Amino acid sequence: QVQLVESGGGLVQAGGSLRLSCAASGSISSINRMGWYRQAPGKQRELVAAISSGGSTNYADSVKGRFTISRDNAKNTVYLQMNSLKPGDTAVYYCHADIVPILYRSSSDYWGQGTQVTVSP
């Protein structure tokens, strides 16, 4: 059984910073791509940032230069450092990972439970 547990959301004023963490645990053989998505009320879930197992990253245009994604492979953990936050960043943030469980040959998508990020004006 594999699960993703997120932490680090909260309320912050515009211009502030937050750091999200997501730890994968369970019967894991390997983890490929990890990333963060977000969903604001009335909107579709969108990719915020992703990182490959080798460290290659990509970002949504709206967060480039403000957010940084990183991972610690030894801890099966992905982070999202969010700086210069704007009210438009308010959303539920979801961790995603493409994981190969032990005894499996192929990977599957796993999601965290979501963490609320609220940015006040």
Side-chain angles (χ1 to χ4, degrees):
Q1 185 177 359
V2 174
Q3 62 176 353
L4 302 180
V5 178
E6 302 153 349
S7 61
L11 172 65
V12 65
Q13 288 188 330
S17 298
L18 284 174
R19 188 190 194 211
L20 305 182
S21 300
C22 172
S25 63
S27 301
I28 297 171
S29 176
S30 62
I31 303 178
N32 301 318
R33 184 174 178 265
M34 303 183 82
W36 291 93
Y37 289 71
R38 67 186 181 187
Q39 187 166 19
K43 295 187 176 181
Q44 288 188 332
R45 189 174 297 189
E46 63 174 358
L47 174 68
V48 176
I51 185 167
S52 71
S53 57
S56 298
T57 59
N58 63 286
Y59 296 90
D61 288 342
S62 60
V63 306
K64 283 181 180 177
R66 299 188 298 122
F67 291 10
T68 302
I69 189 170
S70 61
R71 66 190 281 174
D72 184 333
N73 291 331
K75 296 181 179 180
N76 289 339
T77 300
V78 63
Y79 306 95
L80 185 67
Q81 177 66 43
M82 304 184 293
N83 299 328
S84 302
L85 282 159
K86 305 174 181 179
D89 296 317
T90 295
V92 177
Y93 284 69
Y94 296 91
C95 174
H96 167 267
D98 182 35
I99 295 174
V100 181
I102 290 175
L103 301 181
Y104 282 69
R105 293 186 176 182
S106 60
S107 63
S108 296
D109 290 326
Y110 291 86
W111 293 89
Q113 77 282 4
T115 185
Q116 178 70 46
V117 171
T118 303
V119 184
S120 62

